[in-house]
Amino acid sequence: MKRKTAVITGASSGFGLLTAIELAKNGFYVLAAIRNLEKKQIILDFAKENHVEQYIEIIELDVASHPSIEQFRKNVNRFERIEVLVNNAGYAQGGFAEEVTIEEYKLQFETNFFGLIAVTQAVLPIMRKNTSGLIINMGSVSGQIGFPGLSPYVSSKFALEGWSESLRLEVKPFGIDVVIIEPGSYSTNIWSAGKKVAPKSLQKDSPYFPYMLQLENELEKGGQKRGNPIGIAQQITYLVNHRGFRKLRYPMGKGIKSFIWLKKVLPWRLMEHLIMKRLDK
């Protein structure tokens, strides 16, 4: 039986890598898109361990580069059908709003938001032509709740939420589904290699420096409670195989649903108090 095709961006680590393997194990031919081809051996070795190396094709893609997007478009147009797109590529830009440069904000949006749109626009015509498809956008709890010291990342994820709502309504008539996965804290490199901090906020003479230390400490403590990212990959695999109604949003992680619910029902002053108390502010 011919395998269905899935495209996954940011597939060299974390959720993307695990999802590529899970989908390959579940009957998909996976286009694993990565920015740095020097990391392709990581995917190949992991795929070999799981006996799915023949079902994974690695392609180069920098979602923030127009020429790279155009090459990506040519790559996907080789396929008559693409059943699944997982928009996973992204990074976390930290720092305090006063000290984050406009250029840093723009770079954050180029990858986390505009790059995601460009990838989706490249794949959508194929899905629309076949009147079927599933687009999974990797959001975050940060797309529902703002946190100090992360305004570039938070803003990009809030933008993703609104765009995904509109997209879902636009492509529904063509048999295409759109969902958002909203992870809380998971053990991926988004908070290590995938995190950047505005240099000013790391300088000891910054008025925000003590605050930054508290945030970093909270992040460090949270690392002990982070969930296993395989749970996200398994949730995506379930959604891909599910034939019934799919919700728009899937909050994932310990306490995340409750946290989002609290924001909806509590007056902001109480929600603010809870967040600041956690940071001892």
Side-chain angles (χ1 to χ4, degrees):
M1 189 174 80
K2 188 177 179 182
R3 285 182 166 246
K4 295 180 179 180
T5 303
V7 177
I8 303 173
T9 67
S12 62
S13 64
F15 299 142
L17 174 58
L18 292 170
T19 300
I21 300 301
E22 286 298 306
L23 291 186
K25 286 162 65 176
N26 280 269
F28 278 82
Y29 183 79
V30 178
L31 281 184
I34 62 175
R35 186 173 61 86
N36 184 358
L37 283 180
E38 291 180 3
K39 295 183 177 180
K40 69 179 182 180
Q41 199 58 45
I42 297 171
I43 306 173
L44 293 173
D45 290 345
F46 198 27
K48 202 165 188 178
E49 285 176 29
N50 286 274
H51 312 291
V52 292
E53 65 272 23
Q54 68 270 39
Y55 305 126
I56 295 180
E57 178 183 340
I58 299 170
I59 60 173
E60 187 176 16
L61 172 63
D62 179 351
V63 300
S65 162
H66 179 71
S68 188
I69 288 289
E70 288 307 305
Q71 183 57 48
F72 171 75
R73 193 185 301 272
K74 292 176 184 176
N75 265 321
V76 297
N77 282 338
R78 293 182 287 129
F79 296 84
E80 289 185 7
R81 301 182 68 93
I82 292 178
E83 282 79 8
V84 177
L85 167 62
V86 181
N87 280 312
N88 172 69
Y91 72 94
Q93 174 67 58
F96 289 86
E98 182 184 342
E99 299 177 329
V100 178
T101 67
I102 294 299
E103 186 59 32
E104 286 168 327
Y105 273 106
K106 286 180 178 179
L107 289 172
Q108 178 75 108
F109 270 75
E110 283 294 338
T111 296
N112 288 17
F113 186 57
F114 296 120
L116 178 146
I117 293 174
V119 168
T120 305
Q121 288 177 337
V123 173
L124 259 178
I126 301 169
M127 290 184 169
R128 180 171 46 75
K129 182 181 176 182
N130 290 289
T131 62
S132 68
L134 172 61
I135 298 169
I136 299 175
N137 292 332
M138 191 59 64
S140 168
V141 64
S142 297
Q144 292 272 6
I145 301 168
F147 297 97
L150 283 172
S151 65
Y153 181 68
V154 167
S155 301
S156 71
K157 292 302 183 181
F158 262 75
L160 171 61
E161 292 277 335
W163 184 77
S164 297
E165 283 189 12
S166 294
L167 181 66
R168 180 171 166 119
L169 297 171
E170 290 175 1
V171 300
K172 202 79 170 174
F174 298 99
I176 302 167
D177 231 348
V178 177
V179 304
I180 314 167
I181 305 291
E182 300 172 331
S185 186
Y186 278 81
S187 296
T188 71
N189 72 348
I190 189 75
W191 301 119
S192 52
K195 187 183 76 167
K196 300 178 182 178
V197 180
K200 285 186 179 180
S201 297
L202 294 174
Q203 294 172 5
K204 291 185 178 181
D205 60 352
S206 164
Y208 297 96
F209 184 70
Y211 201 172
M212 177 56 76
L213 291 181
Q214 284 179 296
L215 291 170
E216 291 285 351
N217 184 53
E218 184 64 28
L219 205 57
E220 197 68 35
K221 286 194 297 183
Q224 301 164 12
K225 304 173 185 176
R226 287 177 193 160
N228 189 333
I230 190 63
I232 299 293
Q234 290 170 343
Q235 175 68 55
I236 289 173
T237 304
Y238 167 78
L239 289 171
V240 164
N241 292 321
H242 185 58
R243 291 294 169 263
F245 177 78
R246 300 184 184 99
K247 298 183 295 182
L248 171 62
R249 292 180 171 89
Y250 289 85
M252 299 284 294
K254 187 177 180 181
I256 297 304
K257 288 182 182 178
S258 300
F259 200 32
I260 292 173
W261 179 81
L262 282 174
K263 185 187 175 184
K264 291 177 180 177
V265 299
L266 288 180
W268 173 251
R269 63 184 180 85
L270 291 180
M271 192 67 187
E272 184 177 286
H273 174 73
L274 287 174
I275 295 173
M276 300 307 282
K277 184 180 179 182
R278 185 170 178 177
L279 297 171
D280 295 321
K281 278 286 179 185

